[in-house]
Amino acid sequence: MAKMEKLETADSSTEEKIKEAAAKVFTQKGFAATRTRDIAEEAGINLALLNYYFRSKEKLFDLVMMESLQKFMLGVRDILNDVNSSLTEKISQLASHYIDLLKVNTDLPLFILSEIRANPARLEANMGAKEILLQSNFYKQLEATTKKKVDPIHFLMNIFGLTVFPFVASPLLRIIGEKSKTEFDALMDERKKMIPIWMDAMLKSI
Amino acid sequence: MAKMEKLETADSSTEEKIKEAAAKVFTQKGFAATRTRDIAEEAGINLALLNYYFRSKEKLFDLVMMESLQKFMLGVRDILNDVNSSLTEKISQLASHYIDLLKVNTDLPLFILSEIRANPARLEANMGAKEILLQSNFYKQLEATTKKKVDPIHFLMNIFGLTVFPFVASPLLRIIGEKSKTEFDALMDERKKMIPIWMDAMLKSI
DNA sequence: GTCTATAATTCGATAGAC
DNA sequence: GTCTATCGAATTATAGAC
């Protein structure tokens, strides 16, 4: 993602470096635990410069959080509304999409979820996600399959539980399973194929 | 280091009040975001008194985290090693156990997971959990069922993904599903019955 | 044991030189 | 734009009276 800066357009290079450093540190340590000095050091610049580009720690954080939420939603809309794919195909695509995303951005979901808990107000700004999801073709297919016997929310929980949760709990799971990062990623790649099969089996069991 | 020269009745002692207040505030806001003043206020005592009983914010936190981890493991050992229950029965008992626990302590898992990410060193102290799990009768039954065709870790991920993840993501899920706390808890109660059925279906699909 | 007051430190933000 | 130096607010921890 962060390519070594080949060409430095003089007006945006430093700003971009700071933003990338901020994303890295905020995501790892959370808002409260990160010091603006850490971000400056990570970006290889001075503390004063951070406040020159972004007026405050909080403004920089809001920017990072907004882009994190976008990163989490980017590309999903197309999968959700594909009129030519079945429910199972969409589940397969969602699993693959998120597993590839989270292999590279492992602590993105834990970051988003813990910061939302710490400050739920941040959420309400960016809840276009709710409409995107509930009005999607995917959700209609899910409702048609569950046929009011079970709340479709259960299967949202299941998809994300199977796909995202392993990354959220990866520090624990990697110790329990004695897996290196590479081995853990390989496990997650296996899940790309298994999750749609498992979801099918679950949907048929109701 | 070695204190506790005086023994006190733990009933409504000040020490206990502080510890409960600390657990509440730390769990809600995380280590970095909580101020010792918040804990003191929540406990209805003075800030100085907190440092009188517990030497520092960090020592108090370590205590709270240790008890949180214990709370998460308490009672699980007996379920895991019950020689008279099948794998499916154990899954059913685990799901019920954790759902009841997390209905009351909703942000316990997010607290544990985010603090471990922020400071992985905290984990290594308390990883007796790993042995409890891997040497349990439950894990042997799981290995026997997957028959080396699939890493049993996948099904650990699945059980906890189906059971714990909904609580971790509850701020988001409750908004998406427009559920009150009561309605959300009712959904989780439904999952007590469904999770073992779903897990069975998944295990048969391999 | 419990309080008030304060010391000591950390951290976000700014002033001002270049 | 970028730096050094520093201010001011917030916060942990302690001293000392009762």
Side-chain angles (χ1 to χ4, degrees):
Chain A
M1 177 178 41
K3 300 278 190 282
M4 292 300 117
E5 58 278 18
K6 299 277 204 229
L7 61 147
E8 300 195 351
T9 45
D11 63 328
S12 69
S13 155
T14 301
E15 187 169 346
E16 199 57 32
K17 270 197 305 186
I18 297 175
K19 222 159 64 177
E20 282 170 21
K24 178 172 176 183
V25 181
F26 276 138
T27 304
Q28 260 173 26
K29 317 214 293 184
F31 176 77
T34 88
R35 305 175 310 155
T36 50
R37 281 170 169 80
D38 295 335
I39 297 174
E41 190 185 359
E42 176 74 31
I45 52 95
N46 189 273
L47 170 60
L49 209 51
L50 186 151
N51 286 84
Y52 171 76
Y53 280 105
F54 310 90
R55 290 172 40 83
S56 71
K57 178 186 178 182
E58 191 143 17
K59 288 224 194 313
L60 180 52
F61 177 84
D62 287 341
L63 204 68
V64 168
M65 175 54 77
M66 215 188 60
E67 298 194 352
S68 294
L69 288 170
Q70 284 173 358
K71 190 183 280 189
F72 203 82
M73 295 307 295
L74 189 70
V76 175
R77 192 172 200 155
D78 293 336
I79 298 175
L80 257 30
N81 282 312
D82 186 342
V83 285
N84 292 319
S85 62
S86 67
L87 179 60
T88 304
E89 284 164 350
K90 286 188 179 64
I91 290 171
S92 172
Q93 286 167 22
L94 284 172
S96 287
H97 171 80
Y98 276 115
I99 286 169
D100 285 336
L101 175 69
L102 299 183
K103 280 197 299 184
V104 183
N105 303 275
T106 303
D107 40 19
L108 189 64
L110 190 49
F111 169 64
I112 293 174
L113 291 171
S114 35
E115 295 300 334
I116 282 173
R117 173 198 55 167
N119 189 350
R122 296 198 202 285
L123 189 59
E124 284 138 35
N126 269 61
M127 275 314 284
K130 180 185 165 187
E131 273 66 38
I132 293 177
L133 188 58
L134 294 185
Q135 294 169 9
S136 68
N137 183 23
F138 163 78
Y139 201 76
K140 289 177 181 38
Q141 287 174 305
L142 188 56
E143 283 178 317
T145 305
T146 55
K147 288 183 191 295
K148 297 191 186 297
K149 284 193 275 191
V150 178
D151 193 320
I153 293 286
H154 278 303
F155 291 92
L156 283 186
M157 291 178 177
N158 295 357
I159 293 171
F160 285 96
L162 295 179
T163 311
V164 177
F165 182 73
F167 291 99
V168 174
S170 60
L172 269 163
L173 288 168
R174 283 187 47 196
I175 290 181
I176 289 174
E178 291 176 350
K179 308 291 184 193
S180 68
K181 166 74 174 152
T182 308
E183 291 168 331
F184 183 83
D185 285 353
L187 279 178
M188 295 310 298
D189 279 329
E190 291 176 14
R191 293 178 77 82
K192 289 183 193 172
K193 296 189 200 80
M194 295 191 286
I195 286 172
I197 296 172
W198 289 334
M199 286 294 304
D200 261 0
M202 285 194 272
L203 282 164
K204 279 174 186 150
S205 76
I206 57 173
Chain B
M1 287 279 217
K3 93 182 243 325
M4 29 184 143
E5 61 276 80
K6 300 172 186 174
L7 54 144
E8 302 147 355
T9 50
D11 299 61
S12 60
S13 70
T14 301
E15 187 168 348
E16 199 57 32
K17 270 198 307 185
I18 297 175
K19 223 160 62 180
E20 283 169 22
K24 178 172 176 183
V25 180
F26 275 137
T27 304
Q28 258 173 29
K29 317 214 295 183
F31 175 78
T34 88
R35 306 173 310 154
T36 50
R37 280 170 168 80
D38 295 335
I39 297 174
E41 189 185 359
E42 176 74 31
I45 52 95
N46 189 274
L47 170 60
L49 209 51
L50 186 151
N51 286 84
Y52 170 78
Y53 280 105
F54 310 90
R55 288 170 41 82
S56 70
K57 178 186 178 181
E58 191 143 17
K59 289 224 194 311
L60 180 52
F61 178 84
D62 287 342
L63 204 68
V64 167
M65 175 53 78
M66 215 188 59
E67 298 194 352
S68 294
L69 288 170
Q70 284 173 358
K71 189 184 278 189
F72 203 82
M73 294 307 295
L74 189 70
V76 175
R77 193 172 199 156
D78 294 336
I79 298 174
L80 257 32
N81 283 311
D82 186 342
V83 286
N84 293 319
S85 62
S86 66
L87 178 60
T88 304
E89 284 164 350
K90 285 188 181 61
I91 290 170
S92 172
Q93 286 168 23
L94 284 172
S96 287
H97 171 80
Y98 276 115
I99 286 169
D100 285 336
L101 175 69
L102 299 183
K103 279 197 299 184
V104 182
N105 303 276
T106 303
D107 41 19
L108 189 64
L110 191 49
F111 169 65
I112 293 173
L113 291 170
S114 36
E115 294 300 334
I116 283 173
R117 172 198 55 168
N119 188 352
R122 297 198 204 284
L123 187 61
E124 283 137 36
N126 269 61
M127 276 314 285
K130 179 185 165 186
E131 274 65 37
I132 292 177
L133 187 58
L134 294 186
Q135 294 168 9
S136 68
N137 183 24
F138 163 78
Y139 201 75
K140 288 177 181 42
Q141 288 174 305
L142 189 56
E143 283 178 316
T145 304
T146 55
K147 289 183 190 297
K148 296 192 187 299
K149 283 192 275 189
V150 179
D151 193 321
I153 293 286
H154 278 302
F155 290 92
L156 283 185
M157 291 177 177
N158 295 357
I159 293 171
F160 285 95
L162 295 179
T163 311
V164 177
F165 181 74
F167 290 99
V168 174
S170 59
L172 268 163
L173 288 167
R174 283 186 47 197
I175 289 181
I176 289 174
E178 291 177 350
K179 308 291 185 192
S180 67
K181 165 76 173 150
T182 309
E183 291 168 331
F184 183 82
D185 285 353
L187 278 179
M188 294 310 298
D189 279 330
E190 290 175 12
R191 293 177 78 82
K192 290 184 191 172
K193 297 190 199 81
M194 294 191 284
I195 286 172
I197 296 172
W198 288 334
M199 286 294 304
D200 261 1
M202 284 193 271
L203 282 164
K204 279 174 186 152
S205 75
I206 57 173

